[in-house]
Amino acid sequence: QKEVEQNSGPLSVPEGAIASLNCTYSDRGSQSFFWYRQYSGKSPELIMSIYSNGDKEDGRFTAQLNKASQYVSLLIRDSQPSDSATYLCAVIYTGGGNKLTFGTGTQLKVEL
Amino acid sequence: DTGVSQDPRHKITKRGQNVTFRCDPISEHNRLYWYRQTLGQGPEFLTYFQNEAQLEKSRLLSDRFSAERPKGSFSTLEIQRTEQGDSAMYLCASSLLFPGVDTGELFFGEGSRLTVL
């Protein structure tokens, strides 16, 4: 069973702080990694994708990938209350037919 | 681009009844996916299509579930003889696959919430 593991949280950070969300995956050969944000009662929306080792930045968001450690993270700088949501890590496994395998998500709460 | 639309948004049914959900993907997208999500869990893959061909179906999917995409555009997901365990949000997503270029980025609809009494 190929798995994506996330801490379910909740992760609480004060407004303006950096939120760090982590994800590990089981298939060493995986090539594509995604972070989705899901507000309560809403559908997931794509925030970041990353395919190569290292960092990828987009505005306040930075995705980090370490394939040797099978680890993906998402950093949110200057966290805002509107960032409060569940963050889902998703992986496309090798031979997985391009379907995403999701983790259970980490709930983030940004407090005033 | 009107996004992925799903219908109905909410469905309440009695155990044993059949239900059908419809998904209209983003018009130029050739891949369509169905996922199921329960409270506190991430989306769970059910099946996916490329154009009208159903390429993969989850082993977790019982024979009561069937999906179609007859003309490579909209798709339907039917659940026969519903059970209380089928209560979940059913999410449809679409993506565009170019030959040799597939980012795997999915665009989700708002989902169809099923409650089986």
Side-chain angles (χ1 to χ4, degrees), chain A residues 18-94:
Chain A
I18 296 175
S20 178
L21 304 161
N22 304 314
C23 170
T24 59
Y25 59 94
S26 61
D27 181 15
R28 183 171 294 276
S30 299
Q31 296 296 320
S32 304
F33 308 87
F34 305 86
W35 283 99
Y36 281 79
R37 178 176 63 200
Q38 187 172 29
Y39 292 113
S40 180
K42 300 293 186 181
S43 60
E45 56 179 332
L46 181 67
I47 299 176
M48 295 281 289
S49 58
I50 187 166
Y51 307 99
S52 303
N53 275 330
D55 294 0
K56 179 181 178 183
E57 185 174 321
D58 184 1
R60 296 187 296 113
F61 299 96
T62 298
Q64 300 174 318
L65 175 60
N66 184 326
K67 291 185 178 180
S69 300
Q70 296 173 230
Y71 177 93
V72 191
S73 65
L74 178 70
L75 301 178
I76 306 174
R77 291 181 298 281
D78 188 23
S79 295
Q80 302 298 309
S82 60
D83 295 326
S84 297
T86 295
Y87 290 80
L88 297 162
C89 175
V91 175
I92 293 181
Y93 285 108
T94 51

Side-chain angles (χ1 to χ4, degrees), chain B residues 29-61:
Chain B
H29 283 187
N30 51 10
R31 282 202 169 168
L32 187 149
Y33 299 77
W34 285 100
Y35 281 81
R36 176 172 62 190
Q37 188 176 25
T38 54
L39 193 63
Q41 300 297 313
E44 174 190 31
F45 170 77
L46 295 179
T47 188
Y48 88 98
F49 295 82
Q50 183 165 317
N51 300 313
E52 66 275 9
Q54 187 173 19
L55 297 187
E56 188 172 345
K57 186 175 176 180
S58 170
R59 287 172 290 179
L60 301 175
L61 209 59

Side-chain angles (χ1 to χ4, degrees), chain A residues 4 6 36 44 88-91 100-104, chain B residues 35 42-44 106 108:
Chain A
V4 179
Q6 294 182 258
Y36 281 79
L88 297 162
C89 175
V91 175
L100 296 182
T101 298
F102 285 87
T104 56
Chain B
Y35 281 81
E44 174 190 31
L106 302 188
F108 282 87

